[in-house]
Amino acid sequence: MKITSELVNRYLKNQCSAEEATYLENYIRYGDPNLETLLPEEDWNSVDGDLDYANQEDIRKNIFASIEKNRIRIHRIRIFINLSKVAAAFILFLGVYGILNQFTKTLVSVHSETATMSINSTESSNLYYINSGNDIMTLTASDGSIITLYPKSEIKYPEDFSNLKERILYLKGKAKFNVTKDINKPFRVHSTGVTTTALGTIFIVDELKSTQTQVKLLEGKIEVKAQAANEERNLVRTIMPNEEITLDHHDLTIVEEVKVHKSGIDRGGYFLQNAAVIQFKNIALEDVINVLIQNYDIDLHYDKRKISNKFYSGHFNNTKQVYKEIIQEINYLHHVEISYTFPNK
């Protein structure tokens, strides 16, 4: 049996035989048809557009949602851009998802690991990548920096850094950055509420929750910064290799921190704060003080010489004034005199 536009036309009007319908459906599903040849654009005008079928509105929404997701200009494919019921009916009869997938492969540049890439039409110099698949996606920026984009993540950055003073990237989700060293051109990753800056290093930024971001440093040195909307408070931390920090960029508090101490024996430290508990494990007193100042918005007064090379471990129930218990215990255990006041507002 020969596939012709006349047969497709009769199929859409439900005027072909059962044998013809079966043959056409199998041809579309399992063959590799040129759909425009089967039914050229001008032939759509001759097809009755008042056909009724089940779920037509849902099908239409799915088609246009797919178009918007891929952000690709689609020309001449009447099936996608025409709101007519005939277009949706054709897709319904041919198997919505199978034929939609065929169109996507033809019209969209899709990453081999099911990640997608498009270029922002309003900013032609920016690249915008979306990893919608289940595997990681590896990208190389113009300066040679390697970006590992994790599943369900997005990133945008300039196509060319050469004429820019800074290398600025915008991340949503999780990514690892192996940054090419350039002391004259800082590498800044903007995630929700947080900016991570490096000159040449390897680090991971992960937006864990809507208000929490985790930064892990694998090599080099980075600065992590978050700032309140009114700019009255900020949170700034310098991270060393094998250290990590999780911060709440809404409350400007440190949620979790892993520290590495190079002097003396290896006493890697750990800090955790959640709604129930606060825990310090082998944390340098200087770092404990920095956490208390940041998380409770207080000023601490102490002799820096007396806290040098001293470490602290403690476990507390999390209350609004738990900092008082922590300071009291530190003063007792380490024979220091830490006092607190509230900053002038």
Side-chain angles (χ1 to χ4, degrees):
M1 184 180 300
K2 185 177 180 180
I3 304 297
T4 64
S5 60
E6 187 271 335
L7 173 60
V8 174
N9 198 327
R10 288 192 292 109
Y11 179 92
L12 292 175
K13 294 181 179 182
N14 199 24
Q15 295 176 352
C16 65
S17 67
E19 181 183 3
E20 290 173 326
T22 300
Y23 185 85
L24 178 59
E25 290 170 4
N26 288 336
Y27 176 76
I28 294 297
R29 286 196 182 102
Y30 306 116
D32 187 20
N34 183 327
L35 296 178
E36 191 175 50
T37 301
L38 289 179
L39 196 64
E41 180 178 352
E42 58 269 18
D43 287 357
W44 284 108
N45 296 321
S46 64
V47 180
D48 184 4
D50 294 325
L51 299 175
D52 291 324
Y53 52 90
N55 302 321
Q56 57 188 22
E57 186 62 27
D58 290 339
I59 292 169
R60 187 183 67 174
K61 290 180 179 179
N62 287 337
I63 294 169
F64 282 90
S66 177
I67 296 171
E68 176 62 23
K69 179 179 179 180
N70 289 295
R71 300 182 183 183
I72 300 295
R73 291 189 180 93
I74 298 177
H75 303 288
R76 300 187 63 210
I77 305 301
R78 183 100 172 198
I79 295 174
F80 281 156
I81 62 174
N82 194 329
L83 291 176
S84 72
K85 297 177 182 179
V86 173
F90 191 38
I91 295 220
L92 173 65
F93 286 121
L94 302 182
V96 174
Y97 296 104
I99 200 65
L100 189 57
N101 182 57
Q102 183 65 38
F103 281 138
T104 303
K105 289 180 180 178
T106 303
L107 300 173
V108 184
S109 176
V110 182
H111 188 273
S112 62
E113 295 171 332
T114 68
T116 61
M117 182 278 282
S118 60
I119 299 178
N120 189 324
S121 60
T122 61
E123 301 178 52
S124 58
S125 61
N126 283 343
L127 297 176
Y128 181 34
Y129 293 88
I130 305 173
N131 188 346
S132 57
N134 297 317
D135 299 315
I136 63 172
M137 180 180 184
T138 302
L139 310 169
T140 302
S142 63
D143 65 339
S145 297
I146 304 299
I147 303 165
T148 302
L149 190 64
Y150 286 76
K152 317 305 178 187
S153 301
E154 305 175 16
I155 194 165
K156 182 176 75 171
Y157 57 88
E159 186 175 10
D160 186 3
F161 289 127
S162 59
N163 296 322
L164 303 177
K165 295 181 179 180
E166 297 178 320
R167 295 170 287 174
I168 297 179
L169 303 88
Y170 297 90
L171 171 69
K172 180 178 180 182
K174 179 179 180 180
K176 174 182 174 182
F177 301 89
N178 191 333
V179 182
T180 299
K181 188 173 183 179
D182 186 343
I183 61 174
N184 297 315
K185 194 167 296 186
F187 189 98
R188 306 188 194 279
V189 177
H190 293 274
S191 51
T192 305
V194 178
T195 300
T196 305
T197 302
L199 295 177
T201 188
I202 302 174
F203 62 96
I204 298 173
V205 178
D206 187 359
E207 294 184 326
L208 299 175
K209 300 179 181 179
S210 60
T211 63
Q212 291 186 10
T213 300
Q214 181 185 76
V215 181
K216 297 180 181 180
L217 179 62
L218 305 180
E219 181 182 304
K221 184 177 180 180
I222 57 175
E223 178 190 80
V224 179
K225 181 178 181 179
Q227 191 163 30
N230 56 16
E231 299 186 355
E232 291 183 359
R233 291 184 63 211
N234 61 25
L235 191 163
V236 181
R237 284 291 181 276
T238 299
I239 308 298
M240 305 302 291
N242 299 316
E243 294 185 345
E244 63 183 74
I245 185 171
T246 302
L247 55 90
D248 188 310
H249 46 78
H250 182 267
D251 296 333
L252 292 183
T253 58
I254 299 170
V255 177
E256 192 171 356
E257 191 168 18
V258 175
K259 303 292 291 185
V260 174
H261 308 296
K262 296 181 179 179
S263 60
I265 62 175
D266 184 10
R267 302 185 63 179
Y270 177 81
F271 166 73
L272 171 67
Q273 175 175 319
N274 56 38
V277 300
I278 292 180
Q279 181 179 355
F280 299 89
K281 183 178 179 181
N282 294 332
I283 291 288
L285 284 187
E286 183 179 2
D287 292 325
V288 174
I289 288 171
N290 288 334
V291 168
L292 295 177
I293 292 173
Q294 184 66 53
N295 287 9
Y296 296 97
D297 196 19
I298 56 178
D299 289 333
L300 295 184
H301 311 280
Y302 54 94
D303 186 338
K304 291 185 177 180
R305 295 171 299 177
K306 291 185 177 182
I307 69 169
S308 178
N309 293 322
K310 291 184 178 181
F311 299 83
Y312 174 70
S313 296
H315 188 283
F316 299 87
N317 293 327
N318 193 357
T319 64
K320 290 184 178 180
Q321 296 187 335
V322 67
Y323 61 89
K324 295 181 180 180
E325 299 178 52
I326 298 171
I327 293 172
Q328 184 179 9
E329 183 169 282
I330 292 174
N331 286 340
Y332 175 77
L333 293 175
H334 291 283
H335 307 289
V336 295
E337 298 177 357
I338 301 175
S339 61
Y340 63 88
T341 58
F342 296 97
N344 295 326
K345 300 295 184 180

